[in-house]
Each structure stands twice: as structure tokens, then as C-alpha cells.
């Protein structure tokens, strides 16, 4: 121990006496290890850290695997029939279903109306999570049936901050969504669910309405004594009829339904992205190791005389090697400590860039696992960049090292050149990947929107309200609120629509009577709009007419389709005047707009087949259902910026319904940015890593080339003394450095060209498995 303490003191003195070398190494380590720490923190929270529930290993969800010519595997949403089969025929599982995401609703708290997030869950949802209400109880089977009693469970935060924290609230009613709901429970403080909503209401799943499509997400827990193999066997038997039906529709294919751990199901889409970022961070670490190895070799060459002297005075090779190991570990641990700080700052910045609810976890901490990972990476890096100087100790020649510095040997030059080539190759791979993503984002941002996005302001409000299930009251709200907004000074046009461009629309099925798809049910996007919607967005009307105020509930149903719809389903005829769904007549064709595909993240914006219908022709069942999923948007177009426009829009709506607040205001640029949020994040992350790799490579290459010049100083002097020109000597050095640089570029371009030769993800049509998944998720309106 005394010897080790002496070596530590000597190592610290060496680093203090050479601050340039020490600071360069520590900063390089801090940047590389900090990047790995930040990315690993996300990987840890997503894939490694246990879910915050009791016995999370016994919790699961449902996946679908299709075997055959077009294989597919992924998370599976179920419909009402599949839910009943799962609930009644798989005794090994305690099962529940949810709507899959929270929805915004209006809660009357005293004299104010607040916009809160609602989670719609079935009975036993809290039992599956092993969460017992701090007060009250969970939903009963009676409350979870269609048309069952109105009941609500509130979160602890909502109970304390909005509802006054009154223990006597249990059994009393609160006005939610325009109706009275009885409070039956309050969740414990800090309780977490996959939905993390402000309050929870019964889902009341059935085979009708939203249960007619695959709109339910499953969450299960193994019962005591059961196994996953037993549950999968029961699941296959329960859904055998559905699997047989799939095989008939797709000859040669076989559908298998099975259970997977809940954590894997929740992170299925993010897992490949997280692992890809981890690989990119690993590349940065390798570049840093190559960089530091080069610097360590330079340092070793500079200390050759010192090492030779110590060996000549009787020190063993192990004693000298131990000193080098200790110095490397000192640098590694110091750089790792600095890397924790850099990683913490990088993680906070990264999380601030991510959209809300992008990660299916409530927090991403720097916990003990992350700290152990950082320590392990620091030690491993120290070993990797310290091994070359240690090996070099045994190759020190005492005579030549003490008597003369000599000329740089070919072996050392080759080693430095290999390090240069390695750094360049790894950097090229990251730069090429970043360039491909940037090209993708530029392509998506330059797609023609199909309308004029400038001067448009949108505002959303929740109409999941019992008052507006009545078509007459809904129509009155539209007419009066739009007229009030039309009177705002500076507003040229005002209208309202279920969704807007750059947003995901309602999936729907329609039956065609003519054309190549005659007699078939086809999938399309459905958007209800008011007269003036196309004029407000300045969407060109290609043929036919616009909607008119006369298109009401008592007139023939009409629709306007977009160009993609017309070209696909009516390729050789004019769709205007054609009838779909028995009675609905197509009266016009409008230009395509870019919509969010929702189910195809590789092509977030594309022109889908879209059908527009008058808002006044929506039935009561359809209104009740679609407003659970979507918040309609009021839109206004102004010729110039209007001061206080958002406040005036809210006053216009409040003049019609004081209990209806807007949940948010958006420009078209905001909606486009939200649709491309994933692509922007990927570009920002990989570009930052590529930039960091380029910086590290530049520093490392500069140091290696500078040392190459220093080691060949005598050779350069001899060449110039023999008549060599300055330009030829400079060219000699540049050729020595650039030759390995070109080798590194060639090595790096090999995988980069392989990726570049393939068509970008945004330009490829979705595979058949994705199209099938899209059809499986179609929800048909009642």
C-alpha cells in the first residue's frame, strides 16, 4: 500500500507538471463519457429499470406475430370481441383494457372550468397494477358495463390542488364532461400508472362503437400459480376463431397471439432507437479511445528516456508499467467524474427537447446503475488508452533511448497512422448517418402542404361533453361561435374542423359501389368540417362544389374527397356525383394536404385518402365517440398579425358557452413541428454526436500529426540541409497524414454507402405488414 501511495503521488505530480496533456485527456473523457452517460440513462429507464409496480415481471400485454409471406410482429390493440374472449376464457391472466392514451375533458371545480386529462380504464385496471386507492374503492363490474353508473377516481394531486383535499368528497358528485360523476376513490400520493391521468372513468368496453375497431390496449397480470406458457396456450385457444379468420383472408399466413412483458410492450417502438443511440455513443467512446491512445503513445515517446533511466537504475518492467496504469486510472476516474456532470447537463437538455409523454416513463434519473455504468466505462477507457504505453515499456531499448533520441521508427509511425485511420472511419460513419437523417428532415419539411399555412391560428377545445352529443346543440355551438370569431377585427375567415393538416385524422371504413374497388370496404381518413373550412385554409377546390349551409341533417349526406382518394378509388372516372356508403354523394374534390400517418413513424407526413363531411351531418353516436378521441379545432385567418388574437378567440367562445375553455392555441408551424418531432429529435441527437466525434477526431489527428512532426524534426532538418524545399517537406508530412486519412474515409464510407444506396425511409411505401397493421387499427364510426 505504501508503494501504491507513492505511485499515486508521483502520478499526480506528473499530471500537474504537464497540465496541457492532463486537461486534454480529461476534457476528451468528459465529453465522451458524458454522452454515453446521458444515453445510457434513457436506455436504463426504458429497458433496464423495473416498472414502479409490485412484481412487474408478472405483468404483460398482447403481441401479434404473423408467420407467412409477409411476416409481422408487434404490439397488438384489440377490439370488443377480442376483449370479451380474453376476459372470459384466459383464467391464468387478470386482464384489463384502456383507451391507450389520456383524453382532455372539462371539469367544473367551483366557479371555474378546468381542462384535465382523463384516463378511461376497465374494471381491474388498478388491480393489475397492484394499486389500491388511498380512499374509497376501484371500479366495479357494474360500473364498467355500457350505460353503467357514472363514477370517477381522482388522483391525489387533483384531489388536493383542485378539489380542496376534502375527505368528505367520497360519495359526492362532481360535474365532469357536462354530467355528474360520483367520486368513488382517491389514488395514493405518488401512484403511477401507464396513463398518469388526472382522473379515471370507466371505459365500459363493448363490441359496438369504438369496440368495433381495434381501439383497446391490453394490460395483464399473471395470477398466482400460473405461468406465461399456460397463459399463451389459453390465449391461442380463446382466439382460435380470429386466427382462422385471418388465415382465410390471407392464404399462407398464420396469426399467433401471445403475451410479452409489459416493459417490453411499452418500449417496443423506442427500443431500436434507444439502442441505435447507444451504438452511436459507443462510436464516440471508441473515437475518444483512439484519440487518447494516440496521445498516450506521444506521451510515452516523450518519456522514453525517463523510462530507460528507471530501468537502468534497477526498476522492474512491472514497476514502470504499474506507474503507467495508475496514471491512466487517475485520468480515467477524473474524466469519468467530469463526465457525470456533463452527462447530467446533457440529459436535462435532451429531456427538455423531447415532446411531452414521448417516453413511457415518468422520470429518467441518474441512479446507482448509471453511476456504476459510468465508473465501468471510465475504467475500461483508461485500460484501453493505457495499454499501448504499458506495452511500449517492454520495447524500450536502453542503449538507444539513453544515448540518442534517434529518428521516429516505422513501427511507431504505422501505429499512429492506424489510429488516425480508425478515428476518421468512425467519424465518417456518424457524419454519413447524420447527413441521411438531415436529408430526410429537409425532404419532409419541403413537401407541398396543399394549403396556405401563413396567417392561420387554431384553437382546440374538448367537446367530450354530454351537452354536445345532441346534433342540434352541437350545430348551434358551431354557428354562433364561428360567427363570433368572424366578427373579431382583422379576421378574414373562420371555420371549424375535427382535425387539421399535419394532424392524424379519424380512421374510417367506407363501401364503394363503382370503380376497381366496387363492393369493397376500404380504409380512409374522415374529417368533419364546417362551410368555409377550405376557404379559411385556402385549400384549392379542384372540381365540384364546397359545402353549403343547406347541407344539414335532413338533406342527403354529401362528402368532398381529396385528390389521392379520387385517383386511387376512381382512377378512370370523375368521382363527383358518385355515391358511397349507399347514400353519401361526392360533391367535390379538393387538393391533398400533408397529414400525420400516425401508424407509420418512418413516413410521418403523407397524403392519405381523405373524405370530408359536413359537421352538421354527424349523428349523435358519432359525435359522442369521435370527441372522446379528438378535440376539434376552431381556425381563423388574418390578413396581418392581430394583437391579443388568442384572448379574443377565447372571449368569442365564452360568449357562447362560458363553461367551454380552449385547451391550447396553435399555428400551422406548431402542428408541423409536432408531426415531425421524432425526426427533429433524431437529427439533433445524431448530429450532436457526429459533431462531437468530428471535434474529438480533429483534436486527436492534430495531436498525432504534431507529434509526428516533432519526432521527425532531425529527419526534416537533414532533408532541408541536403537541399529539400520547404514545400516538399510540408507535402511529405501532409501525404503521411492524409494517406491514412483517406484510408479511414474509405473504411467509413463502406457502411455509409450501403445505407445510402437504400431508398430513404420516407420515400419507401410502407411494407405490407405496416399496411396490414394500419387496417387492423381502423376504427369505423357508428
Amino acid at each position: 500500500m505504501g508503494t501504491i501511495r507513492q505511485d499515486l503521488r508521483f502520478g499526480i505530480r506528473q499530471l500537474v507538471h504537464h497540465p496541457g496533456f492532463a486537461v486534454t485527456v480529461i476534457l476528451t473523457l468528459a465529453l465522451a463519457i458524458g454522452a454515453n452517460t446521458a444515453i445510457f440513462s434513457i436506455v436504463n429507464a426504458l429497458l433496464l429499470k423495473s416498472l414502479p409496480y409490485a412484481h412487474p415481471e408478472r405483468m404483460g400485454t398482447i403481441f401479434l406475430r404473423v408467420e407467412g409471406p409477409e411476416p409481422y410482429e408487434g404490439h397488438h390493440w384489440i377490439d370488443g370481441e377480442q376483449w370479451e374472449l380474453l376476459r372470459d376464457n384466459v383464467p391464468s391472466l387478470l386482464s384489463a383494457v384502456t383507451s391507450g392514451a389520456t383524453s382532455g375533458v372539462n371539469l367544473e371545480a367551483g366557479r371555474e372550468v378546468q381542462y384535465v386529462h382523463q384516463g378511461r380504464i376497465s374494471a381491474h385496471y388498478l388491480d393489475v397494477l397492484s394499486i389500491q386507492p388511498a380512499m374509497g374503492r376501484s371500479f366495479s363490474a357494474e360500473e364498467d358495463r355500457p350505460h353503467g353508473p357514472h363514477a370517477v377516481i381522482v388522483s391525489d394531486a387533483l384531489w388536493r390542488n383542485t378539489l380542496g383535499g376534502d375527505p368528505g368528497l367520497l360519495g359526492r358528485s362532481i360535474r365532469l364532461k357536462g354530467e355528474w360523476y360520483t367520486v368513488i376513490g382517491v389514488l395514493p400520493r405518488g401512484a403511477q400508472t401507464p396513463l398518469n391521468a388526472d382522473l379515471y372513468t370507466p371505459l365500459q368496453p363493448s363490441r359496438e362503437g369504438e369496440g368495433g375497431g381495434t381501439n383497446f390496449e391490453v394490460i395483464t397480470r399473471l395470477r398466482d400459480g400460473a405461468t406465461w406458457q399456460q397463459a399463451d396456450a389459453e390465449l391461442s385457444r380463446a382466439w382460435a376463431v380470429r386466427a382462422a379468420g385471418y388465415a382465410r383472408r390471407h392464404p399462407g399466413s398464420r396469426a399467433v397471439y401471445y403475451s410479452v412483458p409489459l416493459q417490453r410492450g411499452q418500449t417496443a417502438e423506442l427500443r431500436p432507437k434507444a439502442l441505435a443511440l447507444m451504438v452511436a455513443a459507443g462510436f464516440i467512446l471508441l473515437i475518444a479511445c483512439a484519440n487518447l491512445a494516440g496521445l498516450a503513445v506521444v506521451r510515452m515517446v516523450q518519456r522514453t528516456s525517463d523510462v530507460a533511466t528507471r530501468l537502468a537504475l534497477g526498476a522492474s518492467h512491472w514497476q514502470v508499467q504499474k506507474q503507467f496504469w495508475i496514471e491512466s486510472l487517475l485520468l480515467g476516474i477524473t474524466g469519468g467524474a467530469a463526465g457525470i456532470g456533463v452527462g447530467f447537463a446533457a440529459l436535462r437538455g435532451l429531456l427538455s427537447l423531447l415532446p411531452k409523454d414521448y417516453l413511457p416513463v415518468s422520470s429518467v434519473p441518474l441512479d446507482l446503475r448509471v453511476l456504476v455504468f459510468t465508473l465501468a466505462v471510465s475504467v475500461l477507457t483508461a485500460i484501453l488508452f493505457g495499454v499501448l504505453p504499458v506495452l511500449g515499456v517492454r520495447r524500450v531499448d536502453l542503449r538507444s533511448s539513453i544515448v540518442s533520441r534517434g529518428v521516429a521508427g516505422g513501427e511507431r509511425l504505422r501505429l499512429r497512422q492506424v489510429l488516425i485511420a480508425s478515428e476518421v472511419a468512425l467519424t465518417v460513419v456518424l457524419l454519413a448517418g447524420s447527413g441521411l437523417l438531415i436529408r430526410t428532415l429537409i425532404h419532409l419539411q419541403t413537401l407541398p402542404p396543399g394549403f396556405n399555412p401563413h396567417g392561420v391560428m387554431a384553437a382546440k377545445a374538448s367537446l367530450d361533453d354530454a351537452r354536445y352529443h345532441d346534433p342540434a346543440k352541437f350545430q348551434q355551438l358551431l354557428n354562433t361561435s364561428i360567427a363570433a370569431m368572424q366578427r373579431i377585427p382583422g379576421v378574414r375567415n373562420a371555420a371549424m374542423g375535427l382535425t387539421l393538416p399535419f394532424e392524424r385524422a379519424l380512421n374510417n371504413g367506407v363501401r364503394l359501389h363503382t370503380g376497381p374497388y366496387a363492393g369493397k370496404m376500404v380504409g380512409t381518413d374522415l374529417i368533419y368540417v364546417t362551410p368555409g373550412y377550405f376557404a379559411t385554409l385556402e385549400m384549392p377546390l379542384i372540381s365540384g362544389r364546397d359545402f353549403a349551409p343547406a347541407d344539414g341533417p335532413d338533406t342527403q349526406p354529401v362528402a368532398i374527397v381529396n385528390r389521392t382518394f379520387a385517383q386511387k378509388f376512381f382512377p378512370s372516372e370523375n368521382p363527383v356525383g358518385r355515391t358511397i356508403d349507399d347514400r353519401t354523394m361526392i360533391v367535390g374534390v379538393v387538393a391533398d394536404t400533408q397529414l400525420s400517418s400516425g401508424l407509420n413513424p418512418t413516413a410521418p407526413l403523407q397524403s392519405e385518402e381523405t373524405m370530408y363531411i359536413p359537421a352538421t351531418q354527424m349523428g349523435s353516436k358519432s359525435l359522442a365517440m369521435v370527441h372522446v378521441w379528438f378535440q376539434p379545432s376552431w381556425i381563423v385567418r388574418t390578413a396581418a398579425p392581430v394583437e391579443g388574437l388568442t384572448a379574443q378567440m377565447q372571449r368569442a367562445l365564452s360568449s357562447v358557452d362560458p363553461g367551454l375553455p380552449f385547451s391550447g392555441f396553435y399555428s400551422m408551424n406548431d402542428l408541423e413541428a409536432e408531426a415531425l418531432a421524432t425526426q427533429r429529435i433524431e437529427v439533433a441527437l445524431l448530429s450532436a454526436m457526429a459533431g462531437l466525434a468530428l471535434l474529438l477526431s480533429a483534436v486527436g489527428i492534430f495531436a498525432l500529426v504534431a507529434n509526428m512532426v516533432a519526432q521527425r524534426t532531425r529527419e526534416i532538418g537533414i532533408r532541408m540541409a541536403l537541399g529539400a524545399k520547404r514545400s516538399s517537406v510540408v507535402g511529405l508530412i501532409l501525404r503521411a497524414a492524409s494517406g491514412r486519412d483517406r484510408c479511414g474515409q474509405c473504411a467509413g464510407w463502406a457502411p455509409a454507402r450501403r445505407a445510402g444506396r437504400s431508398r430513404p425511409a420516407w420515400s419507401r411505401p410502407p411494407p405490407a405488414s405496416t399496411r396490414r397493421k394500419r387496417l387492423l387499427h381502423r376504427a369505423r364510426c357508428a
Side-chain angles (χ1 to χ4, degrees):
M1 293 301 297
T3 303
I4 292 177
R5 284 195 297 268
Q6 290 178 358
D7 290 337
L8 284 173
R9 287 195 296 269
F10 181 76
I12 293 173
R13 287 199 303 271
Q14 285 288 324
L15 298 179
V16 170
H17 291 160
H18 299 84
F21 171 77
V23 170
T24 301
V25 171
I26 291 173
L27 286 179
T28 300
L29 286 173
L31 293 174
I33 294 176
N36 279 267
T37 299
I39 300 301
F40 181 78
S41 299
I42 296 179
V43 173
N44 173 54
L46 289 177
L47 309 181
L48 303 179
K49 189 177 180 181
S50 297
L51 297 175
Y53 313 118
H55 303 292
E57 72 281 357
R58 300 185 65 81
M59 300 175 64
T61 186
I62 303 299
F63 263 49
L64 167 65
R65 181 174 65 250
V66 176
E67 302 170 351
E70 298 175 350
Y72 163 76
E73 183 173 13
H75 186 242
H76 183 57
W77 293 55
I78 66 174
D79 56 26
E81 178 188 6
Q82 290 173 311
W83 161 239
E84 293 176 3
L85 293 172
L86 173 65
R87 180 192 61 194
D88 301 333
N89 298 282
V90 186
S92 297
L93 296 176
L94 177 63
S95 304
V97 287
T98 74
S99 58
T102 60
S103 57
V105 295
N106 298 319
L107 168 67
E108 296 184 22
R111 296 182 178 181
E112 297 182 356
V113 178
Q114 292 195 12
Y115 176 81
V116 297
H117 291 92
Q118 164 197 239
R120 300 166 59 237
I121 60 177
S122 70
H124 301 301
Y125 177 79
L126 297 179
D127 297 329
V128 171
L129 298 177
S130 294
I131 297 177
Q132 296 299 321
M135 295 188 297
R137 58 176 177 83
S138 301
F139 295 126
S140 65
E142 182 66 24
E143 291 163 338
D144 196 37
R145 293 174 182 170
H147 311 295
H150 288 171
V152 62
I153 298 174
V154 300
S155 67
D156 179 81
L158 184 70
W159 175 64
R160 293 180 183 275
N161 300 332
T162 304
L163 301 177
D166 181 10
L169 183 66
L170 287 180
R172 288 160 47 185
S173 295
I174 58 176
R175 194 165 180 82
L176 178 69
K177 302 189 293 184
E179 298 180 291
W180 292 102
Y181 279 71
T182 303
V183 179
I184 66 168
V186 178
L187 293 182
R189 177 180 293 186
Q192 298 181 30
T193 74
L195 296 176
N196 281 329
D198 297 315
L199 50 83
Y200 300 85
T201 59
L203 180 62
Q204 299 177 344
S206 70
R207 299 191 181 193
E208 299 179 353
E210 63 181 320
T214 51
N215 295 299
F216 300 147
E217 186 175 20
V218 183
I219 181 173
T220 63
R221 177 180 286 275
L222 274 176
R223 296 185 186 272
D224 294 339
T227 63
W228 288 115
Q229 292 77 11
Q230 181 181 352
D232 288 343
E234 294 172 353
L235 186 62
S236 298
R237 289 193 296 268
W239 285 357
V241 176
R242 298 296 296 265
Y246 186 90
R248 286 193 299 271
R249 294 190 302 271
H250 304 274
S253 298
R254 176 172 173 261
V256 180
Y257 302 92
Y258 62 99
S259 300
V260 301
L262 181 61
Q263 188 168 31
R264 176 187 165 190
Q266 288 183 340
T267 60
E269 293 185 0
L270 292 176
R271 179 187 299 265
K273 299 177 182 179
L275 295 179
L277 287 176
M278 200 67 215
V279 170
F283 273 23
I284 291 178
L285 189 62
L286 290 177
I287 293 173
C289 288
N291 191 346
L292 297 179
L295 293 176
V297 170
V298 171
R299 179 84 171 127
M300 173 61 191
V301 172
Q302 294 173 347
R303 297 176 64 181
T304 300
S305 298
D306 175 61
V307 171
T309 302
R310 296 182 66 187
L311 292 174
L313 292 176
S316 66
H317 283 86
W318 164 243
Q319 289 175 320
V320 179
Q321 289 173 337
K322 183 180 63 172
Q323 181 61 52
F324 277 94
W325 280 125
I326 288 178
E327 291 180 16
S328 297
L329 289 175
L330 279 173
L331 290 171
I333 293 175
T334 305
I340 292 176
V342 173
F344 179 80
L347 181 61
R348 297 280 77 81
L350 175 58
L351 294 179
S352 66
L353 294 176
L354 297 178
K356 184 181 179 181
D357 300 330
Y358 181 80
L359 298 176
V361 292
S362 59
S363 62
V364 183
L366 287 175
D367 58 13
L368 180 61
R369 184 184 286 111
V370 176
L371 296 179
V372 170
F373 168 81
T374 303
L375 176 62
V377 168
S378 304
V379 173
L380 177 62
T381 305
I383 292 174
L384 288 177
F385 77 78
V387 68
L388 291 180
V390 170
L391 293 177
V393 170
R394 289 196 171 273
R395 293 197 297 268
V396 173
D397 182 73
L398 297 182
R399 178 180 176 84
S400 62
S401 299
I402 296 176
V403 174
S404 173
R405 292 175 57 191
V407 178
E411 182 179 353
R412 289 173 180 170
L413 286 176
R414 284 193 295 273
L415 177 60
R416 288 193 286 268
Q417 290 170 346
V418 169
L419 292 174
I420 291 174
S422 301
E423 290 190 49
V424 172
L426 293 172
T427 303
V428 165
V429 172
L430 286 179
L431 288 173
S434 176
L436 289 174
L437 285 181
I438 291 174
R439 186 179 69 174
T440 300
L441 183 60
I442 292 174
H443 171 83
L444 293 172
Q445 290 179 323
T446 55
L447 289 173
F451 71 104
N452 182 9
H454 305 292
V456 177
M457 176 60 68
K460 294 183 180 295
S462 173
L463 292 186
D464 185 10
D465 192 307
R467 297 172 297 167
Y468 299 118
H469 295 172
D470 182 358
K473 293 182 178 179
F474 174 65
Q475 183 175 355
Q476 181 181 7
L477 172 69
L478 299 186
N479 294 339
T480 53
S481 61
I482 292 175
M485 292 183 190
Q486 189 77 58
R487 293 192 293 268
I488 297 176
V491 170
R492 291 169 47 191
N493 299 94
M496 188 256 213
L498 181 62
T499 55
L500 298 174
F502 304 128
E503 293 185 315
R504 181 183 175 186
L506 172 68
N507 300 139
N508 189 48
V510 298
R511 187 174 298 279
L512 304 179
H513 303 289
T514 60
Y517 294 86
K520 296 182 179 179
M521 182 73 73
V522 298
T524 182
D525 288 336
L526 179 68
I527 303 175
Y528 75 64
V529 300
T530 62
Y533 178 87
F534 303 117
T536 303
L537 291 178
E538 296 185 2
M539 290 174 56
L541 186 66
I542 298 174
S543 62
R545 67 172 179 87
D546 198 348
F547 294 131
D551 295 320
D554 300 326
T555 62
Q556 181 183 11
V558 294
I560 295 176
V561 299
N562 69 342
R563 188 196 301 269
T564 298
F565 186 104
Q567 291 177 345
K568 179 175 182 178
F569 300 131
F570 301 94
S572 58
E573 55 183 321
N574 185 1
V576 177
R578 302 297 178 182
T579 301
I580 57 178
D581 276 350
D582 298 331
R583 295 187 59 225
T584 303
M585 177 181 291
I586 299 176
V587 297
V589 179
V590 295
D592 293 335
T593 62
Q594 298 299 327
L595 300 177
S596 175
S597 61
L599 298 175
N600 187 12
T602 61
L605 290 178
Q606 54 190 338
S607 297
E608 302 269 4
E609 304 86 26
T610 307
M611 183 174 71
Y612 302 88
I613 64 173
T616 53
Q617 293 186 345
M618 292 285 290
S620 59
K621 291 184 179 180
S622 297
L623 289 174
M625 184 169 60
V626 300
H627 288 159
V628 171
W629 303 327
F630 296 93
Q631 295 181 39
S633 297
W634 280 256
I635 54 175
V636 298
R637 175 174 290 280
T638 60
V642 176
E643 184 177 358
L645 178 60
T646 57
Q648 295 186 67
M649 292 177 68
Q650 180 61 71
R651 284 196 294 270
L653 183 64
S654 299
S655 66
V656 179
D657 184 352
L660 187 60
F662 280 130
S663 60
F665 297 88
Y666 310 88
S667 67
M668 292 296 104
N669 290 334
D670 295 334
L671 297 180
E672 182 186 23
E674 184 176 351
L676 298 178
T678 299
Q679 282 65 34
R680 292 180 186 275
I681 293 168
E682 292 174 353
V683 168
L685 287 177
L686 196 55
S687 297
M689 291 186 178
L692 178 57
L694 185 61
L695 174 63
L696 294 178
S697 295
V699 172
I701 292 171
F702 174 80
L704 290 172
V705 173
N707 179 256
M708 185 189 306
V709 174
Q711 293 298 310
R712 301 180 67 175
T713 300
R714 296 185 63 194
E715 175 191 347
I716 293 171
I718 295 172
R719 287 177 179 271
M720 297 186 70
L722 294 176
K725 295 182 180 180
R726 184 183 300 271
S727 59
S728 63
V729 173
V730 172
L732 176 68
I733 298 299
L734 290 178
R735 284 193 298 273
S738 62
R740 299 307 172 184
D741 180 78
R742 286 193 296 271
C743 291
Q745 291 181 27
C746 294
W749 275 116
R753 283 176 61 84
R754 182 178 180 183
R757 281 197 299 268
S758 63
R759 294 175 62 188
W762 44 261
S763 66
R764 295 195 301 267
S769 59
T770 303
R771 295 195 297 269
R772 179 168 56 252
K773 178 182 177 182
R774 189 177 300 163
L775 291 176
L776 286 171
H777 282 70
R778 294 288 184 185
R780 296 171 184 162
C781 291

